[in-house]
């Protein structure tokens, strides 16, 4: 009983050490790739929108959304800058034109509503992507609607860029369960009264939750099980040897834990192997050349005796002569 308690205690310690090692390894794993997110609800759901990125090797064109009553249509990309080259963007430095991820054109002017961002976020059951740092915001809309001329005039005043509010975009993703849908679709939802924040809704099959793939550098379930099994075997063997050597004064192979049990199993396996080998040997054809071998030896001995007799007779005749 004492021996059993010691083994159980050592095994429990080994399992606890393995679990602690797994927790430490999971805390040091690599960060999630860009344009991916893990559900914040704790369900373990994983989202990967990289296949929806416009541009090689995915779809070659940007996403377009109709503005309807807004008066302008929108061009945008998901987790990347727009594929269509843009220039003369209002309120944006020339070296930053290549980072524009969403824009619209009105009165011949190009307005950015957000720059490239790969920070995909999961907020409850919502999957959200936000772009910021667009063109400067215009004044509030009047009762009759927005005054586009005043917006254009205010947007071009970029002397004090640090104090300006800039346009931003929020894209909310929904799971598209239609099996025939191969590409994401984006629709315009609305903008705030200051025309500073724009809201879109995107439907995509890649916005559906699925299992998170194995991360490089992390320990998978199979590896954890293997580590626990290896530690348990080592604790069992080393603990048993220590107990048998110090308590029962065993020496040699009898130091191993449950030596008689493992010896019996080894003997049973060896007997089983010998029985199988004997059974297989019964079906191997045997050589049948024994009688011919004996006959050939007998004939050779007979020929040798005849030669000796002839030689003796010849010598006798010569002696008599």
């Amino acid at each position: 009983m004492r021996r059993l308690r010691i083994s159980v205690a050592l095994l429990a310690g080994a399992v606890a050490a393995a679990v602690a090692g797994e927790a430490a390894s999971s805390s040091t794993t690599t960060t999630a790739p860009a344009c991916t997110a893990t559900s914040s609800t704790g369900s373990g759901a994983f989202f990967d929108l990289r296949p929806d990125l416009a541009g090689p090797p995915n779809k070659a064109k940007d996403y377009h959304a109709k503005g309807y009553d807004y008066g302008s249509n929108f061009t945008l990309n998901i987790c990347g800058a727009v594929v269509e080259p843009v220039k003369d963007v209002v309120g944006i430095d020339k070296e930053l034109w290549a980072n524009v991820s969403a824009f619209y054109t009105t009165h011949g002017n190009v307005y950015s509503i957000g720059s490239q961002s790969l920070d995909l976020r999961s907020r409850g059951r919502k999957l959200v992507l936000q772009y910021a740092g667009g063109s400067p915001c215009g004044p509030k809309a009047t009762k009759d609607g927005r005054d586009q001329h005043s917006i254009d005039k205010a947007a071009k005043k970029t002397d004090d860029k640090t104090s300006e509010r800039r346009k931003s975009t929020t894209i909310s993703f929904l799971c598209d369960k239609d099996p025939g849908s191969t590409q994401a679709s984006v629709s315009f939802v609305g903008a705030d009264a200051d025309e500073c924040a724009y809201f879109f809704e995107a439907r995509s099959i890649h916005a559906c939750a699925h299992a998170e793939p194995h991360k490089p550098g992390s320990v998978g379930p199979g590896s954890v099980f293997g580590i626990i099994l290896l530690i348990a075997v080592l604790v069992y063997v080393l603990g048993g040897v220590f107990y048998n050597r110090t308590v029962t004064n065993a020496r040699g192979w009898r130091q191993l834990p449950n030596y008689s049990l493992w010896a019996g199993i080894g003997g049973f396996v060896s007997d089983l192997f010998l029985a199988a080998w004997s059974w297989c040997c019964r079906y191997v054809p045997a050589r049948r050349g024994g009688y011919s071998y004996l006959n050939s030896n007998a004939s050779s001995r007979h020929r040798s005796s005849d030669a000796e007799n002839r030689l003796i007779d010849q010598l006798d005749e010569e002696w008599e002569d």
Side-chain angles (χ1 to χ4, degrees):
M1 182 62 69
R2 180 182 177 185
R3 180 179 178 181
L4 179 61
R5 290 177 180 176
I6 294 176
S7 300
V8 171
L10 292 174
L11 182 59
V15 173
V19 172
E22 165 61 12
S25 62
S26 61
S27 62
T28 58
T29 54
T30 57
T31 58
C35 203
T36 62
T38 303
S39 177
S40 60
T41 60
S43 61
F46 183 75
F47 306 93
D48 186 358
L49 297 183
R50 287 176 292 182
D52 290 330
L53 173 65
N58 303 327
K59 67 187 297 289
K61 296 183 179 180
D62 295 313
Y63 296 94
H64 299 279
K66 291 184 178 181
Y68 298 104
D69 59 331
Y70 186 79
S72 298
N73 296 329
F74 300 89
T75 302
L76 64 161
N77 196 357
I78 296 176
C79 291
V82 291
V83 178
E84 178 183 348
V86 293
K87 59 182 180 178
D88 299 330
V89 183
V90 175
I92 302 296
D93 295 334
K94 184 177 181 180
E95 58 270 15
L96 300 178
W97 291 351
N99 294 334
V100 174
S101 292
F103 71 93
Y104 67 91
T105 303
T106 182
H107 295 286
N109 296 321
V110 178
Y111 294 89
S112 170
I113 56 175
S115 298
Q116 179 179 358
S117 174
L118 303 176
D119 189 14
L120 185 66
R121 295 294 183 92
S122 172
R123 293 189 174 96
R125 295 186 177 182
K126 296 294 184 180
L127 191 63
V128 178
L129 178 64
Q130 291 181 308
Y131 297 145
S135 298
C137 300
K140 292 184 178 180
T142 61
K143 294 181 180 179
D144 297 333
R146 58 192 182 91
D147 185 358
Q148 186 63 49
H149 178 69
S150 60
I151 293 175
D152 297 344
K153 184 177 180 181
K156 292 181 179 180
K157 295 180 180 179
T158 58
D159 296 335
D160 188 11
K161 295 182 180 180
T162 58
S163 61
E164 289 175 338
R165 296 177 58 203
R166 292 186 172 271
K167 297 178 183 291
S168 63
T169 295
T170 301
I171 306 176
S172 177
F173 293 89
L174 300 177
C175 175
D176 188 0
K177 297 182 179 180
D178 184 6
S181 178
T182 58
Q183 295 182 354
S185 60
V186 182
S187 57
F188 174 65
V189 177
D192 64 348
D194 294 338
E195 297 191 357
C196 217
Y198 295 79
F199 302 93
F200 296 86
E201 184 179 85
R203 291 183 176 272
S204 171
I205 58 175
H206 301 106
C208 301
H210 58 274
E212 184 175 4
H214 179 69
K215 297 179 181 179
S218 62
V219 181
S223 301
V224 174
F225 177 77
I227 293 173
I228 294 176
L229 180 61
L230 178 61
I231 294 177
V233 171
L234 290 177
V235 170
Y236 171 75
V237 174
L238 297 179
V241 170
F242 176 77
Y243 178 85
N244 290 333
R245 186 176 182 85
T246 57
V247 177
T248 63
N249 295 322
R251 294 295 183 269
W253 289 105
R254 296 190 177 277
Q255 297 179 92
L256 296 176
N258 299 321
Y259 169 76
S260 58
L261 173 64
W262 297 115
I265 293 176
F268 172 76
V269 172
S270 62
D271 293 341
L272 186 63
F273 175 77
L274 292 176
W277 178 261
S278 301
W279 182 80
C280 293
C281 290
R282 292 172 56 186
Y283 293 92
V284 177
R287 296 180 59 184
R288 299 182 179 275
Y291 290 105
S292 60
Y293 178 77
L294 293 176
N295 292 335
S296 62
N297 290 341
S299 60
S300 62
R301 288 197 300 270
H302 181 69
R303 289 194 298 269
S304 299
S305 60
D306 291 343
E308 292 176 356
N309 292 332
R310 286 194 299 270
L311 180 60
I312 293 172
D313 293 340
Q314 183 179 0
L315 292 175
D316 289 341
E317 291 176 356
E318 292 178 355
W319 179 262
E320 290 177 356
D321 294 339

